[in-house]
């Protein structure tokens, strides 16, 4: 079992910045991949950015260099720094982790944190 607890969402003006955090209940070295997805009202959930350990960091095209994914291994926490936010970035942001469990890979989700970009 992996529990993910997000924090740091809120209201920000267009052009502003926000950092969201995701704390995992297990060592992130025991996780195959961890990162962020988002879901806006009426839309499907979409990938924002993920680490796949030992492989790469993957960013969605709409990030366009505005967002940065980082991690603090000692705290089992990943961060998403979001700059130059626009109204279209408004969504619930979900932390997601993939963990190898036996012969399969299981995906875990956090409860989500709301990010609202509005003047």
């Amino acid at each position: 079992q992996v529990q993910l607890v997000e924090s740091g969402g809120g209201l920000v003006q267009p052009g502003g910045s926000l950092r969201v955090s995701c704390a995992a209940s297990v060592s992130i070295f025991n996780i195959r991949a961890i990162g962020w997805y988002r879901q806006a009202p009426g839309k499907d959930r979409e990938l924002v950015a993920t680490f796949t350990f030992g492989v790469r960091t993957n960013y969605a095209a709409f990030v366009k260099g505005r967002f940065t994914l980082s991690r603090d291994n000692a705290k089992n926490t990943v961060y998403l720094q979001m700059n130059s936010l626009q109204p279209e970035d408004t969504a619930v942001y979900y932390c997601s982790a993939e963990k190898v469990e036996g012969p399969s890979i299981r995906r875990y989700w956090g409860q989500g944190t709301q990010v609202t970009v509005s003047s």
Side-chain angles (χ1 to χ4, degrees):
Q1 279 276 350
V2 179
Q3 293 181 333
L4 304 170
V5 179
E6 300 110 328
S7 61
L11 174 64
V12 63
Q13 294 186 341
S17 298
L18 205 61
R19 188 178 80 162
V20 291
S21 304
C22 171
S25 62
V26 301
S27 170
I28 58 176
F29 290 112
N30 292 329
I31 295 173
R32 176 180 177 273
I34 188 167
W36 293 90
Y37 289 70
R38 72 183 188 184
Q39 188 167 20
K43 295 188 176 181
D44 293 335
R45 192 170 297 189
E46 60 183 354
L47 180 144
V48 178
T50 59
F51 285 122
T52 300
F53 285 94
V55 180
R56 65 181 179 179
T57 301
N58 187 35
Y59 291 98
F62 62 75
V63 168
K64 295 179 181 177
R66 300 180 298 133
F67 296 180
T68 302
L69 188 64
S70 62
R71 66 184 188 265
D72 185 330
N73 297 333
K75 295 182 179 180
N76 298 323
T77 299
V78 295
Y79 305 96
L80 183 68
Q81 176 67 43
M82 301 182 287
N83 300 326
S84 302
L85 284 162
Q86 299 301 317
E88 53 266 32
D89 295 314
T90 295
V92 178
Y93 283 70
Y94 294 93
C95 183
S96 174
E98 295 178 3
K99 188 173 182 293
V100 175
E101 296 182 353
S104 60
I105 296 173
R106 183 172 176 180
R107 180 182 293 278
Y108 295 88
W109 295 97
Q111 80 284 357
T113 186
Q114 177 70 47
V115 172
T116 302
V117 185
S118 174
S119 56

